Amino acid sequence: MGKSWACSEGYRKASGTLLLFTDADTKHSSNAISLAVAHLLSAGLDALTAGPRILCFDFWTRIVLPVISTFLHTQFSALRANDPSNKFGYFFGSFFIIKRETYDAVGTHEAVRHEIIEDGALGAMVKQSGHKMKVVRGDHLIDAVWARDASTLWNAIKRTMVPVYRQSRSAAMGITAATTFLFFMPLLLLAYSALHTASGYAGVDSSILLWASLAALLLVYTVGIIECRAMQVGIRYAVLIPLGGLVMTLGFLSGLIHAKSDTAVSWRNRDYAMKDRFRSPAAT
């Protein structure tokens, strides 16, 4: 269903030896495809995917997407994906080129028809099957849309957590706990140490706590400013990084709840029932 079905239909009608998969709301520069094909052929790759520049349209996407981007950089490292000795891999659904023979060998989109994030799953299969792939930066060549408003943003965050939960429940819960700690513990420690200092009970421990919390907040805001600049979002939105972290954390929690239930996750005007995403290999 959905995009996987559309990609399969396109594949059946295509005749070329290279296949480019993209999204309807993605914009490519005039030389993006020629550069990607040249890189794939010169490096002897079986597949190549380019990370786009994510466009932000409203207030909520501007404060949340820089936080999400930071999370994705840690969980989906290009260094890991480009390491031949590492089985980790993924595709950006907005732009990936793959040899037809490689696409056939991994089972096409049919093999990921039950995945809610089918592009990531397909890239993982390509890497795990021993094919040569590479992740490159394409933010100067490709523009993509991850969310258009608060509603699609919320569902996109929930959707991100579902495949993580599928792979490892403990990892999904650990990531949610870690993001909560990262964005809110420094604020709590800062408030606690500041209260003790103001009350005249400040000792060595509270002073250390105060400076540690300030250092942690500085790190969070520095990363936020870097991501806001990279995504061409006004730096003023970096001030609201804790609010963006709260939305992301709540979205992750909601994703965990949906991943464990029979309810559906809405994405691109389609409802994906989680019970269909957890079928056994025999059932698929």
Side-chain angles (χ1 to χ4, degrees):
M1 64 185 298
K3 183 181 174 182
S4 290
W5 177 85
C7 289
S8 294
E9 288 298 296
Y11 156 70
R12 293 188 181 98
K13 296 182 183 300
S15 59
T17 57
L18 293 179
L19 304 171
L20 166 65
F21 291 94
T22 186
D23 290 330
D25 50 11
T26 299
K27 292 183 179 180
H28 308 148
S29 67
S30 59
N31 60 341
I33 295 177
S34 58
L35 287 172
V37 171
H39 193 112
L40 181 139
L41 296 178
S42 63
L45 303 173
D46 298 305
L48 178 142
T49 186
R53 178 171 71 100
I54 303 298
L55 302 179
C56 301
F57 297 107
D58 69 335
F59 170 80
W60 290 106
T61 56
R62 287 187 175 98
I63 67 169
V64 175
L65 281 183
V67 180
I68 290 287
S69 179
T70 303
F71 163 77
L72 293 178
H73 284 324
T74 59
Q75 293 301 307
F76 299 94
S77 167
L79 293 176
R80 288 174 59 202
N82 291 337
D83 181 357
S85 64
N86 196 313
K87 293 296 183 181
F88 174 76
Y90 60 91
F91 287 151
F92 290 101
S94 52
F95 193 99
F96 69 90
I97 289 180
I98 184 170
K99 290 183 177 179
R100 189 186 194 95
E101 59 192 49
T102 302
Y103 185 65
D104 287 332
V106 298
T108 75
H109 273 82
E110 286 282 340
V112 294
R113 64 187 183 278
H114 293 301
E115 297 287 346
I116 194 170
I117 303 183
E118 74 294 323
D119 41 27
L122 189 63
M125 291 178 60
V126 168
K127 188 66 179 294
Q128 291 166 7
S129 60
H131 292 90
K132 191 176 180 181
M133 63 164 288
K134 189 174 183 180
V135 178
V136 298
R137 286 186 59 183
D139 50 325
H140 58 302
L141 298 169
I142 305 161
D143 288 342
V145 178
W146 201 65
R148 292 186 175 276
D149 50 35
S151 176
T152 56
L153 174 67
W154 180 251
N155 284 297
I157 297 172
K158 292 195 299 182
R159 172 179 175 261
T160 300
M161 185 50 62
V162 172
V164 178
Y165 181 86
R166 287 193 59 187
Q167 294 175 7
S168 171
R169 296 183 181 184
S170 59
M173 295 177 181
I175 288 171
T176 304
T179 55
T180 303
F181 179 87
L182 176 64
F183 287 104
F184 303 111
M185 189 56 66
L187 291 173
L188 293 176
L189 291 177
L190 179 62
Y192 174 82
S193 57
L195 284 174
H196 274 258
T197 301
S199 301
Y201 294 104
V204 176
D205 291 342
S206 60
S207 297
I208 292 175
L209 221 56
L210 177 62
W211 287 109
S213 58
L214 286 173
L217 281 175
L218 178 62
L219 176 61
V220 168
Y221 278 109
T222 299
V223 173
I225 290 172
I226 292 173
E227 289 296 335
C228 284
R229 287 177 62 88
M231 300 181 71
Q232 298 184 19
V233 173
I235 294 179
R236 63 186 182 276
Y237 289 102
V239 177
L240 299 173
I241 285 294
L243 180 57
L246 175 62
V247 174
M248 183 180 75
T249 301
L250 293 176
F252 282 174
L253 288 171
S254 181
L256 289 177
I257 294 171
H258 277 81
K260 294 189 288 185
S261 69
D262 290 339
T263 56
V265 170
S266 177
W267 180 247
R268 305 288 172 123
N269 297 319
R270 291 185 177 86
D271 291 332
Y272 294 84
M274 289 303 96
K275 61 183 179 181
D276 294 334
R277 302 296 178 263
F278 288 87
R279 293 181 179 180
S280 65
T284 58

